[in-house]
């Protein structure tokens, strides 16, 4: 390797490090997300591999930690169920085994509470609807958020048995 090639390689590595650090400063990223950024920014594959390997060695890139943080955040703050979280982890390139481990650690009762919280919040805007229509729409909202059928039916039963909201009878 000539001196010019060595200088160019060092420059490429420095640029790639800067790109990675800028991305990681915003939020934690999966390895695949960083590879995608490197590809968009035309970073050579061997340079990207070297930077990712180094960042993984020092703990700046850790897909297991990333998956854990994302699952907790989506479950607690975004009110999403396991199915939706799994899809998001897959889209971000987290390996299936890691995703399975992380999702197994989620508390089923916490997932149900998130579904209940979401249902109660959405139910307020459905007060003028017939009960069957509100139930169907609410079931759709919960299903799209990734909650299982058993959680959806359990939450619907609880929400509609409490029925603090007056629903239309359809006799308008």
């Amino acid at each position: 390797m000539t001196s010019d090639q060595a200088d160019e390689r060092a420059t490429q590595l420095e640029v790639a490090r800067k790109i990675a650090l800028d991305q990681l400063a915003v939020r934690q990223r999966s390895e695949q997300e960083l590879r995608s950024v490197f590809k968009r920014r035309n970073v050579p594959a061997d340079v990207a591999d070297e930077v990712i390997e180094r960042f993984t060695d020092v703990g700046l890139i850790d897909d297991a930690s990333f998956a854990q943080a994302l699952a907790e955040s989506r479950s607690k703050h975004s009110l999403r169920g396991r199915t939706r979280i799994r899809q998001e982890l897959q889209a971000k390139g987290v390996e299936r085994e890691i995703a399975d481990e992380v999702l197994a650690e989620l508390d089923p009762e916490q997932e149900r509470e998130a579904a209940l919280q979401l249902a109660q919040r959405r139910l307020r805007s459905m007060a003028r609807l017939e009960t069957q229509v509100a139930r169907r729409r609410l079931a759709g909202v919960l299903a799209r958020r990734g909650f299982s059928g058993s959680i959806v039916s359990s939450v619907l039963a609880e929400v509609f048995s409490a029925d603090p909201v007056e629903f239309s009878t359809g006799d308008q």
Side-chain angles (χ1 to χ4, degrees):
M1 186 180 284
T2 66
S3 175
D4 289 342
Q5 289 173 328
D7 288 345
E8 182 178 337
R9 173 93 175 155
T11 301
Q12 289 174 339
L13 282 169
E14 189 55 40
V15 168
R17 275 190 211 101
K18 172 96 171 85
I19 291 170
L21 288 171
D22 288 347
Q23 291 294 309
L24 292 169
V26 174
R27 70 168 173 80
Q28 200 173 12
R29 309 270 175 177
S30 69
E31 180 179 329
Q32 182 179 321
E33 286 181 302
L34 284 176
R35 286 191 186 281
S36 296
V37 170
F38 286 150
K39 190 173 184 177
R40 279 196 315 269
R41 302 284 298 271
N42 298 320
V43 173
D46 61 324
V47 173
D49 289 342
E50 188 174 330
V51 170
I52 286 175
E53 182 180 332
R54 176 74 178 124
F55 278 34
T56 301
D57 290 345
V58 298
L60 291 173
I61 301 173
D62 180 1
D63 279 359
S65 171
F66 168 76
Q68 182 71 37
L70 185 127
E72 284 181 27
S73 170
R74 296 305 190 260
S75 177
K76 290 179 184 172
H77 305 295
S78 299
L79 305 177
R80 295 195 178 139
R82 290 174 197 268
T83 305
R84 182 76 181 270
I85 294 170
R86 179 183 307 282
Q87 290 170 345
E88 196 167 340
L89 289 171
Q90 263 183 321
K92 293 184 181 296
V94 175
E95 293 179 14
R96 179 181 273 280
E97 296 79 33
I98 294 172
D100 289 343
E101 287 176 24
V102 166
L103 292 171
E105 293 175 13
L106 287 179
D107 180 15
E109 190 54 38
Q110 181 183 344
E111 184 178 16
R112 188 183 180 293
E113 284 301 315
L116 183 61
Q117 184 180 355
L118 177 63
Q120 289 169 338
R121 187 183 311 162
R122 290 293 179 94
L123 191 61
R124 289 184 208 118
S125 67
M126 298 181 186
R128 297 183 152 271
L129 299 175
E130 292 181 30
T131 305
Q132 290 90 348
V133 174
R135 179 182 287 275
R136 186 180 67 240
R137 287 186 184 177
L138 200 51
V141 166
L142 293 170
R144 284 188 299 277
R145 286 286 183 104
F147 294 105
S148 69
S150 62
I151 289 178
V152 170
S153 61
S154 165
V155 165
L156 289 177
E158 183 174 336
V159 166
F160 284 98
S161 71
D163 206 17
V165 180
E166 289 285 328
F167 286 97
S168 170
T169 59
D171 298 334
Q172 297 175 354

